[in-house]
Amino acid sequence: FGLIVSNSALKRKGWNWAKEFNKSKEAKDLAATEVAWDLGVLCDAGVETTQIQLQIFILACVAYPDWIAAAQKELDEVVGTNRLPGFEDLSNLPYLQAVVEENFRWRHIVPAGIPHATTQDDFYKGYLIPKGSVVVPVFAAMRQNSSTFDSPEVFRPERWIEKSQPSNFGYGRRVCPGRFIARNSLAIAIARLLWAFNIRSKDGVRINVSEEMFTTGFVSGPKPFVAVFEPRSKERRSLIEREFDMADKDVAHLLDEARGKQIAAGLSPQG
Ligand code: HEM
């Protein structure tokens, strides 16, 4: 299946990652199936993660809505009411950044972690971890550790403003290389959603979050749940509709633009 997707991407108009990776020196000695697997893993790591993290954000809105007013107040003060938030606003939105970090912490998309191996003997709190041991960082346990996070079950962005907290993207040389894209993608999506909508549960009553509400597996996200999105005003509603009508929906064109941005940033895309 991966091979079919990869081959169809190679035939498509405009720049894309399949074309780029196929022309790279790393792909030269790989079979087409191996290239397809590598692209598939990148797609899994980059696409599903951000999408699930956004569903987690919506769940946080219906389960712990107390922080929403503060985030919307900040957005209204910095952005105003006549335009949508843009990337240029993000550095002026410290509370929103805290919402994004809390979203990563509140529910980890890879609860059981990704195994690592020790390359040399190591000691942790007096315990010897011999070279070659498999170490499984259980992210679900770390984010629920009440000695690191007070009331860890509560979605509370303020904890990131009060003090810096450990990140959720792994550690060491295998730390998530997509964390900058992930943070920016989440921040712009969350900023625009909160600017545009009031997000609440169907009857206004907070949803009680339990472990059964999440899918099991390597990557875990919320099972379907109901959330209501109400435009915050008539004016905002028309602006959202206008922005949608005007937005570029031509994927080939958007990807070519991404290629142009890479060149502008000093990179040399080959695809
Ligand atoms: C919601 C957002 C994301 C979260 C929470 C997340 C989290 C993680 C975590 C915990 C790891 C394992 C790190 C370790 O083993 O110590 C990881 C690895 C990885 N992530 Fe992400 N990630 C996200 C988004 C992305 C995006 C957008 C991309 C690519 C554009 C990406 C690419 C990767 C890759 C390639 C690896 C494997 C790195 C390696 O093993 O050397 N991730 N991610």
Side-chain angles (χ1 to χ4, degrees), residues 17 41-54 103-104 107-110 113-116 137 139 168-183 185-186 218:
W17 274 112
V41 168
L42 187 60
C43 185
D44 277 347
V47 178
E48 194 188 23
T49 46
T50 307
Q51 174 216 328
I52 293 178
Q53 200 73 61
L54 212 44
N103 188 35
F104 285 129
R107 175 79 204 183
H108 205 288
I109 54 169
V110 188
I114 299 174
H116 284 228
F139 292 125
N168 241 15
F169 288 100
Y171 51 87
R173 58 192 179 123
R174 305 299 293 269
V175 66
C176 173
R179 60 196 184 283
F180 305 102
I181 298 181
R183 280 206 173 92
S185 308
L186 259 298
F218 175 62

Side-chain angles (χ1 to χ4, degrees), residues 145-202:
N145 183 350
S146 52
S147 61
T148 317
F149 304 108
D150 63 300
S151 307
E153 71 289 353
V154 179
F155 189 98
R156 199 174 69 81
E158 285 76 9
R159 67 174 90 241
W160 294 90
I161 292 168
E162 288 154 10
K163 78 174 171 86
S164 150
Q165 313 269 359
S167 130
N168 241 15
F169 288 100
Y171 51 87
R173 58 192 179 123
R174 305 299 293 269
V175 66
C176 173
R179 60 196 184 283
F180 305 102
I181 298 181
R183 280 206 173 92
N184 277 339
S185 308
L186 259 298
I188 195 71
I190 290 176
R192 289 183 164 200
L193 283 171
L194 288 175
W195 181 91
F197 299 103
N198 286 321
I199 303 170
R200 58 170 179 82
S201 65
K202 197 173 168 198

Side-chain angles (χ1 to χ4, degrees), residues 252-268:
H253 185 242
L254 286 167
L255 283 169
D256 278 338
E257 239 179 54
R259 185 180 193 278
K261 283 183 183 160
Q262 291 175 56
I263 295 169
L267 298 170
S268 317

Side-chain angles (χ1 to χ4, degrees), residues 238-252:
S238 335
L239 200 133
I240 305 161
E241 287 171 350
R242 218 169 42 243
E243 287 277 342
F244 180 77
D245 289 341
M246 280 164 36
D248 189 350
K249 299 174 194 75
D250 178 342
V251 176

